[in-house]
Amino acid sequence: AQCESAVKVFRRVYWEIPAFRKSCEAAFRNALAGETSWAGRLEFAPAVGAGPLPFVTVTLPSARMLWYADPRLEDGGVTYLGQNQYTRKWERQRTWGGKICENLVQAVARDILAQGLLNAAQKGLTIIGHVHDEILVETRQDAAEPVLEALIGAMTAVPSWAPRLRLKAEGYTAHRYRKGCPMKLEKDLEAYCCTVARELGILSYKFVSPAHRAVPDRVFVARGQVLFVEFKSARGRLTSGQERELARLRHHGALVA
């Protein structure tokens, strides 16, 4: 129930994202019909002379292209030839607006990471690997902090093909690699969410009610929507009082997460 509530809040507040997903699917279908069309800055087009199979291409802001092999409309949906992530065999894959959007977002994220890698190399940093959205650099212990600062600068340099893109990066120094920097305490998670909300222009208030001690921790306000949030660590559990207060808010139509 909490996950469904969070999804509803997200879609209401950031309605542009569901709209963009629909425009991606519409542009893909237009390309299948032989027309070139756009979804934002992304160009969807039928590929000409790309080999024995037909393709739909999507040109990213970086000018790199994604290629969808042998796309078709089947049973009212969109399919293409792709590799099954479980069997590793090539077979028909079904796709839709949300999945196409996810492909494109991940592709743009890859281009941003690739630019960060190039920037780091130009700064003379010793890159020893990268994992998803992380770059691993090796250096002497006495130079760790300046190198970390240089790496963050390399990763947040705005690429020329996305001049209005806002980038942020965080990092750590250690003797060995570990995945991420997990926030173990609820207060750390709450502080992080408040920081992100402030950067996005979302109002955040600490919720305190003397007569009801189990009310949610925070109230977030954005675009006419109000969200009550109770923060818990990965192993944290709601008390009976907190469950009661959250249920009461939901009963009155409030958005709760």
Side-chain angles (χ1 to χ4, degrees), residues 86-149:
Y86 301 108
T87 65
R88 301 300 179 185
K89 295 181 180 179
W90 279 76
E91 55 190 50
R92 299 216 69 80
Q93 307 281 329
R94 184 167 295 277
T95 192
W96 53 92
K99 188 176 178 181
I100 296 169
C101 180
E102 187 271 343
N103 290 163
L104 302 175
V105 169
Q106 292 298 323
V108 172
R110 177 267 173 199
D111 289 346
I112 294 170
L113 179 67
Q115 186 63 56
L117 287 163
L118 293 173
N119 293 341
Q122 290 174 356
K123 288 176 176 286
L125 304 184
T126 304
I127 301 170
I128 59 174
H130 57 90
V131 181
H132 299 300
D133 59 349
E134 300 175 330
I135 299 176
L136 282 61
V137 170
E138 188 175 51
T139 188
R140 302 188 320 272
Q141 184 172 350
D142 59 355
E145 290 301 329
V147 167
L148 175 59
E149 184 177 349

Side-chain angles (χ1 to χ4, degrees), residues 176-191:
R176 60 183 62 84
Y177 171 74
R178 64 180 185 270
K179 180 58 182 172
C181 301
M183 290 172 284
K184 296 182 179 181
L185 301 178
E186 293 176 12
K187 65 177 183 180
D188 296 331
L189 177 60
E190 182 176 350

Side-chain angles (χ1 to χ4, degrees), residues 133 148 151-157 166-172:
D133 59 349
L148 175 59
L151 178 59
I152 290 176
M155 296 181 69
T156 55
R166 296 193 299 175
L167 293 175
K168 183 178 180 180
E170 297 177 348
Y172 65 90

Side-chain angles (χ1 to χ4, degrees), residues 190-211:
E190 182 176 350
Y192 175 77
C193 289
C194 290
T195 299
V196 173
R198 184 166 55 252
E199 292 175 350
L200 295 175
I202 298 173
L203 296 179
S204 170
Y205 298 98
K206 187 69 176 177
F207 189 17
V208 178
S209 177

Side-chain angles (χ1 to χ4, degrees), residues 59-79:
T59 303
L60 302 172
S62 65
R64 189 166 67 93
M65 299 174 71
L66 298 186
W67 296 70
Y68 290 85
D70 196 19
R72 302 176 187 174
L73 285 177
E74 296 181 329
D75 300 325
V78 177
T79 67

